[in-house]
Amino acid sequence: LEAAAAADGHGGARRPAGPEDVAQTEAFLAQVVGRAAPRVTRRLQELGSAYVDRDLGPLTAKLERLHRLLPGADVAGCLALDPELLHTDVRLATANLVELAARWPGAGAALGMVEAFPALLRVEGLSERLRHAEALTRRLTGASEAKARQIVGESPELVADLWRYRGRRGRAAALSELPMAVQNQLAWG
């Protein structure tokens, strides 16, 4: 996280935010994410984020960069779901968005996946994780390659959920061995 913040030039650890910093940031974020502003601000404080500051210039600039990276996407909704999106390295996010668009080329499919699970933009080694999620989906459900890709595309959080089940120790032998929430995601496909 700190490397991503440093690469982006803002948002890294700094002095603790004072009450005025928190109030100013929360008031600004209320205009962006609505009622989620207190939770987003609190999470940014936990991260020691430099975006919690009376100087809203860096925060505004980051939001503008995210809007340019994700044209037409609900950036405010993404931020409400995942405040750490502000600390996403733009180069990694761009590479991951290109990877998603290459695998799911439909109109807006990649952006839809990001809106559902913004953490996809921060995942190191996304290509490997996508292959793993699709392969495990095929193995556990008997789905075809195309169907497995569709299932992962419709439930992108499977990329993170199924990553736990890799290698010898985390290998799920049957669908019934997975948490119920993951089973439900796979069954809806």
Side-chain angles (χ1 to χ4, degrees), residues 117 128-141 148 151-153 155-167 170-172 174-175 177-179 181-187:
F117 191 60
E128 177 185 0
R129 290 174 184 236
L130 290 170
R131 282 192 305 273
H132 173 76
E134 291 172 15
L136 192 53
T137 298
R138 282 193 312 273
R139 186 172 66 75
L140 293 173
T141 65
I151 291 169
V152 173
S155 297
E157 58 277 5
L158 284 170
V159 174
D161 292 341
L162 294 178
W163 187 247
R164 295 182 195 109
Y165 301 96
R166 67 187 186 288
R171 189 171 185 120
L175 187 60
E177 295 177 15
L178 296 172
V182 176
Q183 290 181 43
N184 289 338
Q185 292 167 336
L186 291 170

Side-chain angles (χ1 to χ4, degrees), residues 2-186:
E2 289 177 24
D8 194 38
H10 298 289
R14 61 160 188 104
R15 67 169 171 76
E20 300 85 18
D21 297 316
V22 173
Q24 186 78 13
T25 302
E26 190 170 318
F28 175 76
L29 287 173
Q31 298 170 30
V32 177
V33 297
R35 292 184 296 202
R39 182 180 49 75
V40 171
T41 304
R42 206 169 27 258
R43 179 64 184 135
L44 293 174
Q45 282 182 277
E46 291 167 1
L47 295 169
S49 176
Y51 291 122
V52 181
D53 197 287
R54 283 168 274 184
D55 177 8
L56 298 172
L59 177 56
T60 302
K62 182 63 176 212
L63 288 171
E64 288 171 1
R65 282 192 298 277
L66 288 170
H67 279 284
R68 283 193 305 271
L69 176 67
L70 305 168
D74 180 9
V75 172
C78 290
L79 184 59
L81 281 175
D82 186 3
E84 291 179 51
L85 184 62
L86 287 173
H87 293 278
T88 301
D89 176 65
V90 175
R91 290 173 297 226
L92 176 62
T94 301
N96 286 355
L97 193 56
V98 167
E99 175 70 27
L100 292 170
R103 285 176 111 73
W104 288 274
L111 287 179
M113 291 175 72
V114 168
E115 287 176 328
F117 191 60
L120 287 173
L121 294 176
R122 288 195 313 278
V123 174
E124 296 280 345
L126 181 62
S127 182
E128 177 185 0
R129 290 174 184 236
L130 290 170
R131 282 192 305 273
H132 173 76
E134 291 172 15
L136 192 53
T137 298
R138 282 193 312 273
R139 186 172 66 75
L140 293 173
T141 65
S144 68
E145 186 175 330
K147 184 64 173 177
R149 183 164 289 176
Q150 177 188 350
I151 291 169
V152 173
E154 290 173 357
S155 297
E157 58 277 5
L158 284 170
V159 174
D161 292 341
L162 294 178
W163 187 247
R164 295 182 195 109
Y165 301 96
R166 67 187 186 288
R168 297 169 86 199
R169 291 189 177 187
R171 189 171 185 120
L175 187 60
S176 62
E177 295 177 15
L178 296 172
M180 188 57 70
V182 176
Q183 290 181 43
N184 289 338
Q185 292 167 336
L186 291 170

